[in-house]
Amino acid sequence: MLIACGDALIDFVPTRNADGREAVMPAVGGSCLNVAIGMARLGAPTGFVGGISTDLFGRMIADHAAASHVELGLATRSDHQTTLAFVRIVAGESHYAFYDAETATRNWTYRRGSIPFETVEALHVGSTTLVNDQGAAETTALIADARTSSTISFDPNCRPNLVKDKPAYLARMAGFAASADLIKMSDVDFAFLYGEEPYQQRASALLEQGASLVVITRGNNGATAWHAGAGQIEVAAPEVEVADTIGAGDSFQAALLFALRKQGRIARQQLKDVSADELRRALSFAANCAGLTCTRPGADPPWIGEITWRW
């Protein structure tokens, strides 16, 4: 089983009404929930860990996840309100305004002993849950229990407008990276975390401290991965007509984890032994899934019947 832990929210994505004026449309989102939905739609047994409200929007989230075959038995339902995020597209990039005070996601706590980690092949963490102190502490405790048997996947998915103390945030992200086997981030995330440091230099440092795979996605420029054994791998992005890029990185992450699992390379030692050919196929599949997600508004990752994978 694969598990994603973190944020579940409602994105209000930009659209136009019948008069051509700007409007917004509610869509289920949240980076970690998107990853769970993406993995489940591709056919992997998948669960979500995090806080989901019992309010109107929380019911939308739960119904959407269930319809995508995500197991919600490990999620925590509460009467705290749902996190809301309003999205604007600026120069092709999605910019967010979050309303996240006293929400179900912010009030999530890890229930120790509630997850049978011996059945969990990989745990994915990241995004806005790691910005606040409580979410970061609860996720750290979760990782500590999971690491004995599960591969740890991490995507910082930075949201600079939520970061109040950047040095503290950078130190926190460094800690999560140090505990991860697979690290994926966008070029925008990389710039926020590491400035103008060369990609390969930082990737080498992350591999030296224990990660097996480091991936940087670069939008239309594809993705580059570094692996201690397989070396550096680059894949191209597919040419698509872009509706928006919301959820594209999450779809990439979900598809990468799914593909590694499909190849029998998701366990920690197996990931260390992945070949360059296996890794290239997994990354290409992930890029194609992300590309398809970009062709439709909101975070809407593909189902397995919509995407081609050559084994």
Side-chain angles (χ1 to χ4, degrees):
M1 185 180 195
L2 305 178
I3 286 179
C5 170
D7 50 338
L9 51 80
I10 297 293
D11 285 322
F12 285 85
V13 300
T15 186
R16 296 277 178 178
N17 64 17
D19 297 328
R21 291 181 296 175
E22 286 189 9
V24 292
M25 175 182 68
V28 174
S31 178
C32 294
L33 181 67
N34 292 340
V35 171
I37 287 172
M39 295 188 296
R41 287 185 176 184
L42 292 172
T46 304
F48 174 75
V49 177
I52 300 178
S53 178
T54 55
D55 67 10
L56 169 67
F57 292 127
R59 292 194 295 273
M60 284 177 59
I61 291 169
D63 289 347
H64 181 70
S68 296
H69 311 305
V70 175
E71 170 57 51
L72 294 179
L74 300 176
T76 302
R77 303 300 299 272
S78 74
D79 59 4
H80 296 287
Q81 66 185 10
T82 299
T83 300
L84 306 180
F86 289 80
V87 188
R88 294 207 78 185
I89 309 300
V90 180
E93 289 287 337
S94 300
H95 293 252
Y96 294 83
F98 289 93
Y99 294 81
D100 191 32
E102 298 302 318
T103 61
T105 292
R106 286 287 294 269
N107 283 279
W108 167 74
T109 57
Y110 167 45
R111 296 172 290 168
R112 303 202 73 158
S114 64
I115 301 175
F117 285 113
E118 66 277 5
T119 68
V120 177
E121 297 161 279
L123 166 69
H124 173 74
V125 302
S127 197
T128 60
T129 303
L130 306 184
V131 175
N132 67 82
D133 292 343
Q134 177 175 322
E138 298 293 334
T139 305
T140 298
L142 174 69
I143 291 172
D145 288 350
R147 273 195 62 80
T148 57
S149 56
S150 307
T151 296
I152 307 300
S153 162
F154 169 56
D155 176 4
N157 194 40
C158 305
R159 294 289 179 253
N161 59 322
L162 294 180
V163 175
K164 307 303 181 186
D165 183 343
K166 187 172 180 180
Y169 177 78
L170 295 182
R172 178 176 290 170
M173 293 304 101
F176 282 109
S179 69
D181 302 291
L182 188 162
I183 301 166
K184 192 277 292 182
M185 69 187 84
S186 70
D187 51 357
V188 176
D189 292 335
F190 188 97
F192 183 69
L193 294 174
Y194 307 114
E196 297 182 359
E197 181 178 354
Y199 291 152
Q200 185 168 354
Q201 179 175 307
R202 174 54 56 173
S204 296
L206 293 170
L207 293 174
E208 287 176 5
Q209 73 178 15
S212 293
L213 177 62
V214 178
V215 183
I216 297 175
T217 57
R218 297 176 291 121
N220 291 334
N221 294 316
T224 306
W226 291 265
H227 184 273
Q232 181 174 328
I233 307 287
E234 294 195 24
V235 298
E239 293 186 8
V240 298
E241 185 173 340
V242 176
D244 64 45
T245 60
I246 299 169
D250 304 327
S251 184
F252 185 102
Q253 185 84 36
L256 177 58
L257 290 169
F258 167 82
L260 290 170
R261 180 181 185 273
K262 192 73 173 177
Q263 294 178 110
R265 294 298 186 184
I266 194 66
R268 183 170 292 118
Q269 186 57 52
Q270 294 165 338
L271 181 60
K272 290 179 179 179
D273 296 335
V274 69
S275 71
D277 185 57
E278 289 171 324
L279 187 53
R280 184 174 289 105
R281 289 204 305 271
L283 291 164
S284 295
F285 179 71
N288 286 333
C289 285
L292 182 54
T293 302
C294 289
T295 65
R296 42 209 196 192
D300 188 7
W303 294 82
I304 189 61
E306 299 179 287
I307 199 81
T308 300
W309 167 262
R310 296 180 181 178
W311 301 102

